[in-house]
Amino acid sequence: MNYNQIFSQALGKLKAEGRYRVFADISRRRGEFPYAVHHVDGGEREIIVWCSNDYLGMGQNPEVIDAMRQALESCGAGSGGTRNISGTTHYHVQLEQELASLHGKESALLFTSGYISNEATLSTLAKVLPGAAIVSDALNHASMIAGIRQGGGRKEIFRHNDVAHLESILRTLDLEQPKIVAFESVYSMDGDIAPINDICDVAKKYKALTYIDEVHAVGMYGRHGGGVSERDGAAARIDVIEGTLAKAFGIMGGYIASSAALVDVVRSYAPGFIFTTSLSPVLAAGALASVRHLKKNHVLRERHQNRAERLKKLLTDAALPVMPSESHIVPVLVGAANLCKLISDELLYEHGIYVQPINYPTVPRGTERLRFTPNPLHTDEMMERLVLAMDKVWTKHQLKRAA
């Protein structure tokens, strides 16, 4: 058996379809984001990053960096183990308290990533609740799908953001059967937003728990950065709010916020929590500083929204095919995997613009796109440079324009 030949064939298939992923070797420069250094062919060149999920540039914030430096000096590098074996530090405790407060919940629980927090929580709830059914939005993240699958219980899929379809499914379930409605607030590839209050109305009617993934919204929406659920006055109606520390907060890690009893059940039963080394105190300290900073800095959120709207307008005015988006996500349709990769490479190597191609299975075939995430540090001049480069590439390859 030639195992390497099988592996090579599998990789060859991805390459033939234009879906083989190549990571750009870059170094962000502290204090100069979104500029970065691209390491290529033994040399270095300056680029502008347009696809970072550090949406607000908090990974570069001086308060955050100082907090991490102080934690490193006082506690050292690592956490020392899992949370139940010497891996709980005062930073973890403080951060969980801060996150619970952010969402108006009794308790919160940290994980090493947003993926793990979704996977561990949903699978645990499905197993702990007897005969539970999970009703999931069709466009939910892979981590939510993995958690639901691992839970091993009944699952139903409702059409994306279709509240009427959700209700038609819930109506078929026993009213007294444990149920969880799982959905996201901001869907990161299309940039659309869930009708949270409408979903809560239906879920309450059929006695279902509500589980929302706010990873692309925490820090950026709501008066204190509590996400779209805070902005829409729905946070108190959501049973479980899941978020990340790796996007708007600029660090690393994931979490849930909920009732004390639910959080304690996940803490006590979820293998993904129990058997994983905790976040280092350095990361927890940085995240704590970031959450506290964004709770009181609404101006940064307003600037962020302004930048997103500005880029959408410039791209639209240039007849570039911007896909409809209600949020800070700015997707531009290409429609073919090979072409998407070609355009991304050309923007990077010829124009110093770094944006990754988004291909299947992240998005459906035929909807391949470039996904831009403008942040408060992108200037008008940077945006004009980007649109000019995009216009040249679209003209060169005779790509489809917007009407």
Side-chain angles (χ1 to χ4, degrees):
M1 177 68 72
N2 189 333
Y3 291 104
N4 281 333
Q5 183 179 12
I6 296 173
F7 299 149
S8 296
Q9 289 172 348
L11 292 172
K13 180 181 178 182
L14 288 178
K15 291 176 180 178
E17 295 175 359
R19 296 195 294 117
Y20 181 73
R21 299 170 191 251
V22 178
F23 300 149
D25 183 359
I26 69 170
S27 300
R28 299 204 299 176
R29 299 195 300 220
R30 181 169 63 87
E32 298 182 43
F33 189 68
Y35 286 107
V37 173
H38 183 207
H39 302 273
V40 59
D41 298 330
E44 298 179 350
R45 53 198 294 273
E46 184 179 82
I47 61 172
I48 299 176
V49 179
W50 280 99
C51 55
S52 175
N53 280 347
D54 185 356
Y55 290 132
L56 301 177
M58 290 301 294
Q60 305 284 309
N61 183 277
E63 290 181 26
V64 172
I65 293 171
D66 286 346
M68 297 178 76
R69 184 181 294 113
Q70 290 174 26
L72 181 64
E73 293 295 333
S74 62
C75 295
S79 68
T82 62
R83 288 290 294 275
N84 62 314
I85 304 179
S86 78
T88 296
T89 72
H90 191 50
Y91 288 113
H92 295 105
V93 174
Q94 287 183 299
L95 179 53
E96 286 173 339
Q97 292 172 344
E98 198 71 39
L99 291 167
S101 170
L102 174 65
H103 295 294
K105 300 300 182 187
E106 293 178 340
S107 188
L109 188 66
L110 289 172
F111 296 85
T112 51
S113 73
Y115 189 103
I116 298 298
S117 56
N118 269 332
E119 184 181 55
T121 303
L122 285 167
S123 62
T124 299
L125 292 177
K127 291 174 181 176
V128 168
L129 293 169
I134 299 183
V135 188
S136 174
D137 187 286
L139 294 189
N140 276 344
H141 190 264
S143 58
M144 300 175 77
I145 295 169
I148 294 167
R149 183 180 296 119
Q150 285 184 23
R154 178 172 177 177
K155 62 178 180 181
E156 300 285 347
I157 309 297
F158 68 95
R159 289 188 293 270
H160 177 54
N161 280 347
D162 189 333
V163 179
H165 189 222
L166 168 63
E167 180 164 19
S168 72
I169 293 172
L170 290 172
R171 193 182 296 123
T172 67
L173 303 175
D174 187 330
L175 191 61
E176 300 306 320
Q177 176 184 10
K179 296 173 284 292
I180 302 171
V181 176
F183 61 106
E184 300 182 38
S185 58
V186 175
Y187 288 83
S188 63
M189 291 302 129
D190 293 321
D192 55 341
I193 295 176
I196 299 177
N197 276 300
D198 292 341
I199 290 174
C200 287
D201 288 342
V202 171
K204 182 178 180 181
K205 180 178 177 180
Y206 294 93
K207 299 184 179 181
L209 293 175
T210 45
Y211 181 105
I212 191 170
D213 175 318
E214 285 259 38
V215 297
H216 291 278
V218 289
M220 295 174 288
Y221 296 86
R223 186 66 194 174
H224 304 96
V228 179
S229 57
E230 183 193 21
R231 185 199 72 177
D232 292 356
R237 308 183 68 193
I238 301 290
D239 294 293
V240 186
I241 296 176
E242 185 268 346
T244 184
L245 304 169
K247 293 182 170 62
F249 295 125
I251 312 297
M252 177 183 175
Y255 66 89
I256 59 168
S258 185
S259 69
L262 188 149
V263 168
D264 203 13
V265 160
V266 175
R267 182 187 71 88
S268 302
Y269 280 88
F273 174 81
I274 295 170
F275 299 107
T276 301
T277 298
S278 64
L279 290 172
S280 78
V282 175
L283 294 172
L288 179 61
S290 185
V291 172
R292 287 174 172 171
H293 180 88
L294 289 178
K295 270 187 172 180
K296 61 187 179 183
N297 196 333
H298 192 60
V299 173
L300 192 61
R301 280 185 281 281
E302 292 175 346
R303 168 74 176 172
H304 181 231
Q305 292 296 317
N306 170 274
R307 296 290 79 197
E309 291 305 313
R310 174 66 175 165
L311 182 58
K312 290 176 188 177
K313 183 179 187 306
L314 289 174
L315 291 168
T316 300
D317 289 347
L320 292 161
V322 182
M323 301 172 72
S325 166
E326 305 171 65
S327 67
H328 58 282
I329 307 296
V330 184
V332 177
L333 181 66
V334 177
N338 279 310
L339 195 53
C340 205
K341 178 69 169 63
L342 173 67
I343 293 168
S344 173
D345 286 346
E346 198 163 304
L347 287 170
L348 177 61
Y349 289 97
E350 296 185 18
H351 300 278
I353 290 168
Y354 176 42
V355 57
Q356 279 284 17
I358 306 296
N359 295 329
Y360 177 84
T362 306
V363 295
R365 296 182 193 274
T367 68
E368 291 83 359
R369 68 201 64 178
L370 301 175
R371 175 182 175 271
F372 295 93
T373 54
N375 69 58
L377 302 174
H378 282 113
T379 65
D380 284 349
E381 182 181 1
M382 291 177 186
M383 291 188 181
E384 289 162 5
R385 172 181 164 184
L386 167 65
V387 174
L388 180 62
M390 293 273 287
D391 187 68
K392 288 181 178 178
V393 171
W394 247 251
T395 299
K396 175 182 176 181
H397 295 282
Q398 298 181 324
L399 301 179
K400 186 177 180 180
R401 298 274 184 164

